[in-house]
Amino acid sequence: MTNNAAPPVIVVSELRKSFGDKVVLDGIDLNVPQGTIFSLLGANGAGKTTAVKILSTLIAASGGRAEVAGHDVASDPDSVRAAIGVTGQFSAVDNLLTGEENLRLMADLNHLSKKDGKRAATDLLERFDLTEAARKPASTYSGGMRRRLDLAMTLVGSPRVIFLDEPTTGLDPRSRREMWQIVRELTAGGVTIFLTTQYLDEADELADRIAVLEGGRLVAEGTADELKRRIPGGHVRLQFTEPSEFRTAQRVLGRAAHSDGDALALRVPNDGSLRSLKALLDQLDHESIEVDGLSVHTPDLDDVFLALTGDSDNKKVTNR
Amino acid sequence: MTTAVASHPLRDSTTMVRRNLKRMVRYPSMTVQLIAMPVLLLLLFVYVFGGTLGAGIGGPSGGRAEYVNYVVPAILIITIATIVQGTAVSVAMDMTEGIIARFRTMNIARVSVLTGHVVGSVIQAFLSVAVVVGVALAIGFRPQAGFGDWLALVGLVAAVSFALVWLTVAIGQSSQTVEGASSLPMPLMFLPFLGSGFVPTDTMPEGVRWFAEHQPFTPIMESIRALLMDTPVGNDVWIALAWCAGIALVGYVWAKKLYNRKV
C-alpha cells in the first residue's frame, strides 16, 4: 500500500474483536512501516485500547490476523513480547518502589547484566529528567513524572516497536510537550511507534500516518495533510458590532461570505496566507467598514474528525 | 507455538521474589498488622479463656499452663492463614494496578509473577511463625520437640503455607476488588476453630465433630502438636501432607489458569 521503502512492522488484516454481543473491532486493516509514527485516532470507546491490547498480546482477537515485528501475535506471542514495549493509559509503575528500583526491575526482567542494568537505569533517569527523584517512591511522583518513568521503563528493553496508549491523557500542557519531544526522538533510532490518542493536535503533531477509528471501523487513513484536504478549506471570521457595518460588509464581500450563526459575524473563505489576508483587509478598508474582530481558521483535524465521524452517523441513520 | 526467544523462569522468579520482599519492606504496616493478629489471639486464648479451657482439657498440671501447649498449633495455623489473607490482598492490588499488564506484555516467564508472590509470602509466613513461637515461649509455652521434630515442623509449616498461598494467589486474582480479596479467605481463619485447634473434638456434637475430624486443618494441627510435644505422630502427618499437596495443586492450577486467561 505504502510506497515507503521501509518494511512493514505491524501488519493487521480483518482484525475483529467482540465482547459477547458487543462488537468492538469490526474488521480493521493496518500497515505500519518501520521507523514511523502511526496514530490511531478515535473518541473514547472507539476501540483504540482494544486494538493495542490485541497487538501487545494482552488479549486474543476474535478474528483476523495481526503480525508485529514479523511474528504472529496469536501463535508466537513470546517473540512479539520480546520485540515490543507498551506504555498504557494507566500507569504501569510499581508505586511502592523508587524510580530507580522500577527501572532496575525492568532491567532484570529484560535479563540485562547487573552492570548494564545499572547503566541503563542511570541513563534513562538522566534522559527523562528523573535523576533527582530517583530514590523516591513512585507514589510520590507527579502525573508527568510518573508518565515519564512509565515510558522510561518501557525503553529499558530497547523495544523495536512501542505502543503508546493515550500517552498524554491527563497531563498538563507542559508535560504533554515534553512527552511529544521524547516520542519524536525515539523514532530517530528506527523505532516504530503505534500511538493512540483522542487528541487531534497530538496526532497532527506526531504522526506520519493517521487512521481514524469510529465504531470499530477505520473511517479514514492518511497523512494529516491528506485528511485535512478531504474537508473544506480555511476561512476568516469577521466580527461586527454595528448591524449597518455588518450589512455593508455582506454587500461588499458578496456571495463568498456567509453569516456565521445569528451573531454579527461573517465567514469568508481564505487560505490564511498573508497575501490573501492583506487583499481582504484592503477591501474592507477601502469601504471604511469597521470590523470589531478578526480570526483566521485553517482546517485542523478537529474539522476532519467531526466531518468524518458525523458522516458515519448519517450513514447509520440512512441505513435504517 | 515455536518460539526462538529464550525463557528464564528461575531468574524471572528470583526478580519477582525480590520485588515482593522489597514491597513488604516498603509497606511494613501490613506485615506488622498481619503478625499482630495471631499474637493477640494467642494472648486472648491463654489469658482470658486459658484457665477454664485448660481445666477442661485436663492433663498433669491442668489450667493455663497446659492450655498454652495445647493451643499453639492452632495459633500457628491462624498465623499462616492471616499471612495468606495478606497475599490475596496484595495479589488483588497488583492486578488492579497497571504493572501486571506491563509484565504480561514482556517476554518473561509467565508464572514468575505468581511465584514471586508465593515465595515472598512463604518467607513472610516463616517470619510471623517465628515471632508467634517467640511470644508463646515468653508466656509459658514449653515444647518437648527434639532437633528432628523441629526440622519436621519447619517442613510442615513450609508445606502448609505453600499450599495455602497458592490457593490465595488464585483467590486474589479471582476477586474483582481488593475488598473482596480480603474477605474471601476468611474461612481459613475460622477452620481451626471448627477442628481440634482450641478444644478436643470429642466434646463437640456429632455433626460438628464429624466435620472437625475430617477437615484438612485437624490432621495438620494434630501433627504440629505431636511434633512439638514429642508424642507419636501416627498417620496424621501423611494425611496432613496429602491435604497440602491437594490444596497446592488446586491452587496452582486455578491461579495459573486465571493468570493466563485472555479475555
Side-chain angles (χ1 to χ4, degrees):
Chain A
M1 282 290 195
T2 47
N3 48 10
N4 215 316
V9 169
I10 302 174
V11 184
V12 172
S13 61
E14 280 296 300
L15 196 66
R16 286 167 199 285
K17 178 72 185 177
S18 38
F19 295 99
D21 290 343
K22 195 178 181 308
V23 177
V24 180
L25 293 178
D26 194 8
I28 63 171
D29 300 284
L30 294 172
N31 198 313
V32 182
Q34 192 193 329
T36 62
I37 303 183
F38 180 88
S39 175
L40 195 58
L41 183 65
N44 284 334
K48 305 185 297 285
T49 299
T50 304
V52 169
K53 281 185 175 170
I54 293 172
L55 293 177
S56 62
T57 77
L58 272 177
I59 59 174
S62 315
R65 277 177 58 82
E67 259 185 28
V68 175
H71 305 284
D72 191 289
V73 294
S75 63
D76 193 4
D78 282 337
S79 299
V80 172
R81 289 180 194 131
I84 64 170
V86 185
T87 290
Q89 206 175 133
F90 304 102
S91 78
V93 306
D94 191 322
N95 282 319
L96 293 181
L97 301 186
T98 67
E100 189 180 7
E101 284 169 340
N102 266 296
L103 289 168
R104 296 293 296 273
L105 174 66
M106 289 301 119
D108 286 339
L109 292 175
N110 278 293
H111 313 118
L112 301 185
S113 72
K114 204 166 177 178
K115 202 176 112 209
D116 290 346
K118 199 176 159 87
R119 179 157 8 114
T122 313
D123 289 353
L124 284 163
L125 286 167
E126 173 86 10
R127 179 167 158 203
F128 286 78
D129 199 18
L130 291 167
T131 308
E132 248 173 74
R135 280 156 207 271
K136 291 188 187 131
S139 54
T140 64
Y141 284 20
S142 71
M145 288 162 76
R146 182 184 294 266
R147 212 64 75 93
R148 291 205 300 274
L149 174 61
D150 202 324
L151 186 54
M153 286 166 72
T154 299
L155 297 184
V156 172
S158 312
R160 283 182 287 146
V161 183
I162 298 179
F163 292 92
L164 299 174
D165 190 15
E166 305 204 6
T168 65
T169 297
L171 291 191
D172 62 69
R174 178 203 279 274
S175 307
R176 253 182 113 201
R177 302 229 153 244
E178 285 170 0
M179 204 71 182
W180 288 352
Q181 189 52 40
I182 291 166
V183 172
R184 266 190 227 104
E185 285 164 13
L186 288 177
T187 48
V191 171
T192 308
I193 293 181
F194 188 99
L195 167 94
T196 77
T197 181
Q198 49 176 326
Y199 300 119
L200 303 135
D201 55 339
E202 185 159 286
D204 203 358
E205 187 81 22
L206 294 175
D208 296 303
R209 287 184 79 76
I210 300 168
V212 182
L213 188 63
E214 164 75 7
R217 291 175 163 279
L218 293 184
V219 292
E221 202 199 324
T223 63
D225 285 339
E226 280 166 7
L227 291 179
K228 284 178 199 168
R229 249 180 265 136
R230 292 179 54 158
I231 61 142
H235 62 268
V236 169
R237 190 174 183 275
L238 300 171
Q239 176 74 49
F240 304 91
T241 37
E242 293 297 321
S244 59
E245 300 290 331
F246 172 70
R247 279 192 295 274
T248 319
Q250 224 172 0
R251 184 170 45 75
V252 169
L253 296 171
R255 290 164 51 114
H258 337 254
S259 51
D260 192 14
D262 340 310
L264 293 176
L266 286 175
R267 291 169 72 125
V268 190
N270 190 292
D271 64 6
S273 69
L274 260 181
R275 182 189 298 273
S276 62
L277 273 178
K278 187 163 184 303
L280 175 65
L281 294 178
D282 285 346
Q283 204 178 359
L284 293 167
D285 201 31
H286 190 253
E287 302 286 330
S288 311
I289 299 172
E290 276 299 317
V291 179
D292 196 48
L294 175 150
S295 51
V296 179
H297 294 263
T298 49
D300 54 22
L301 280 173
D302 266 311
D303 300 318
V304 180
F305 190 65
L306 290 175
L308 285 170
T309 54
D311 233 30
S312 87
D313 277 341
N314 287 341
K315 259 184 232 146
K316 266 184 221 150
V317 173
T318 46
N319 282 347
R320 271 178 204 149
Chain B
M1 285 300 158
T2 52
T3 154
V5 286
S7 169
H8 303 81
L10 203 64
R11 181 162 178 199
D12 293 343
S13 296
T14 318
T15 304
M16 290 301 183
V17 171
R18 209 158 47 223
R19 165 176 181 254
N20 281 292
L21 292 179
K22 254 185 206 155
R23 286 170 62 90
M24 285 171 201
V25 173
R26 286 296 143 72
Y27 192 23
S29 59
M30 176 116 167
T31 310
V32 169
Q33 218 177 328
L34 293 177
I35 297 180
M37 171 81 177
V39 168
L40 288 175
L41 273 178
L42 174 67
L43 298 176
L44 179 74
F45 270 89
V46 170
Y47 286 112
V48 179
F49 307 131
T52 308
L53 291 174
I57 288 168
S61 51
R64 208 181 310 280
E66 186 67 17
Y67 193 65
V68 184
N69 290 338
Y70 186 82
V71 85
V72 162
I75 299 293
L76 292 184
I77 292 302
I78 287 190
T79 308
I80 297 171
T82 317
I83 292 295
V84 299
Q85 197 175 356
T87 312
V89 171
S90 68
V91 169
M93 265 166 66
D94 238 6
M95 295 297 150
T96 55
E97 280 177 20
I99 190 125
I100 291 294
R102 179 189 286 285
F103 292 150
R104 282 174 201 259
T105 62
M106 294 177 72
N107 177 35
I108 53 180
R110 297 229 106 191
V111 78
S112 64
V113 175
L114 304 180
T115 47
H117 277 290
V118 170
V119 177
S121 293
V122 169
I123 292 173
Q124 205 180 19
F126 267 102
L127 197 76
S128 345
V129 163
V131 171
V132 171
V133 169
V135 173
L137 288 172
I139 63 169
F141 172 50
R142 293 295 169 260
Q144 310 295 318
F147 181 71
D149 295 328
W150 282 112
L151 273 189
L153 276 166
V154 167
L156 193 55
V157 165
V160 174
S161 33
F162 183 77
L164 294 184
V165 164
W166 271 115
L167 188 66
T168 47
V169 163
I171 290 175
Q173 290 183 83
S174 72
S175 56
Q176 302 298 318
T177 60
V178 174
E179 290 75 21
S182 75
S183 56
L184 269 173
M186 276 307 259
L188 294 180
M189 300 278 297
F190 283 101
L191 275 179
F193 291 93
L194 291 173
S196 66
F198 294 88
V199 290
T201 52
D202 48 21
T203 59
M204 300 174 184
E206 202 176 338
V208 181
R209 182 175 165 183
W210 185 91
F211 178 81
E213 282 169 1
H214 293 89
Q215 63 121 324
F217 284 175
T218 295
I220 294 172
M221 291 185 294
E222 286 303 317
S223 306
I224 295 178
R225 192 171 286 136
L227 289 168
L228 282 172
M229 290 299 134
D230 200 23
T231 55
V233 180
N235 270 337
D236 278 333
V237 73
W238 304 117
I239 301 172
L241 288 175
W243 272 112
C244 289
I247 295 170
L249 188 69
V250 169
Y252 172 78
V253 171
W254 185 21
K256 214 176 159 188
K257 191 172 162 223
L258 287 174
Y259 187 73
N260 285 331
R261 80 181 145 187
K262 284 190 167 191
V263 186

